[in-house]
Amino acid sequence: MKHPSRRGLLATGASLTAFAAGCLDQLPNDGRDQTGESDEAPNTAESGGSEPSPLERWVPASSSTELLFHFRDLAEVRQHEGELRPSVIEDVPTMPDADGSEVVKRVANGESAVESVLRFGSEGVAGNVVVDGSFDRDAVDTDRKSSTGEFAVLERDGVSVAVSADTVVMSPADGAALDAILAAGVEGTGRRADEHDRFAQLLERVGDRTILWGEYEGDTDGTGAAFSWSFGAETSTNSAVAVYPDADRMADFEERMSERFDDVTVEIDGNVGVATRTVPTEEYEYLDLFAQHESQPAQPQAGVSIDSDSSDRTVTVAYISKSGVERLEISDENGNEAEMTDVGETTTFEYDAGASGELTVVAVGSETETETVVATHSYSF
């Protein structure tokens, strides 16, 4: 078995990093040097503005630990309708595609009344939805008033919907609680960005964007990635942001981005990496990244334990659990290789005095041969 490099494993899409690192592939890469500055509007988060972004404002700390999110600024898209391809205007959804969305259609006076759509949850683009615009809350029969803000609340088919003159909030039974979303968005309490440091870092670097896709796993020391577009009259900026609990993996992010593109600018700030490209606005194409995310096969997962014995100069790997795994491939930098197929198996490598290096355990998927690094171990005898 060929010993896999970390950079090669990132390319398999087996981690959150692949979401950000791979998303810039959606851009044209025709060899032109597009290093000019975008003529987009200033980024509020980076220019000292005090208004929180929609994600900072509305996502509560009680939302899913494995969070997917998407935002589209429809007012900004309409502003650049003359520069964008006609197909983009047709492809960008103006109404939310989620349970309870018929309420938005009833309270909005046409699609132009919807200015932006924010979605977040654990199941692709489904889950919680926050829609901004101009709405007539008297257009629907409501069940009660909300305890937070000027919202009328109705329950429809397991979905709680809150409607005000400028916002519609939808919360399915398996999503974050409606009251928690309203508390975050209206009162500014219980926000995920205030309680989870790495999530706040991710949103700070993303700022205000026209189109945004992202995901975040974990709590305060989680891992996140986001892919965003900001439109200008002639040129637009595309960015990929990756956030880790520590800075150890930033070198991989920077190297991969720099090798793949001639016209990308990569900035590393501790545990945060930002890759940016500038392209003509007319070349933008709207892609549903969550649909692509969901169509990818599930990654193989496995549990192992690794024990070193300095007296015998051995390293033993025990196969503990698996999900969607055909086999485990074990290799090290001293040329040892082995495979395990069944839970309960063990593999032991023996070493000479003075040997050192890193051992890697890779899970190979049972359906697609997808590879995932499940463990690494450094040894020195």
Side-chain angles (χ1 to χ4, degrees), residues 8 14 32 34 41 60 90 131-132 139 142 223 258 294 321 328 378:
R32 288 177 295 172
Q34 298 164 339
E90 296 177 1
V131 184
D132 280 342
T142 57
T223 301
S258 298
E294 292 178 332
S321 63
L328 292 184
S378 296

Side-chain angles (χ1 to χ4, degrees), residues 3 6 248 304-310 313-317 330-334 349 351 354-361 373-381:
H3 183 75
R6 292 184 68 187
D248 292 346
V304 299
S305 66
I306 303 176
D307 296 313
S308 291
D309 188 326
S310 57
R313 296 194 297 274
T314 60
V315 176
T316 299
V317 181
I330 307 98
S331 64
D332 65 19
E333 295 176 346
N334 285 75
F349 289 160
Y351 298 92
S356 63
E358 185 175 76
L359 178 148
T360 302
V361 182
V373 174
V374 296
T376 59
H377 176 77
S378 296
Y379 56 87
S380 180
F381 299 104

Side-chain angles (χ1 to χ4, degrees), residues 16-24 43 46 69 198-207 209 212-216 223-229 237-244 250 253 257 265-269 271-277:
L16 276 172
T17 317
F19 182 83
C23 279
L24 286 184
N43 184 318
E46 295 176 357
F69 49 88
R198 299 295 177 257
F199 186 63
Q201 281 186 311
L202 181 66
L203 300 190
E204 179 182 3
R205 297 310 298 265
V206 170
R209 300 297 180 183
L212 169 67
W213 308 85
E215 59 182 326
Y216 183 86
T223 301
F227 173 63
S228 63
W229 280 91
T237 298
N238 177 229
S239 298
V241 181
V243 174
Y244 296 99
M250 284 295 101
F253 178 85
M257 290 296 186
T265 299
V266 182
E267 298 180 1
I268 304 297
D269 183 9
N271 63 308
V272 182
V274 182
T276 305
R277 300 181 75 198

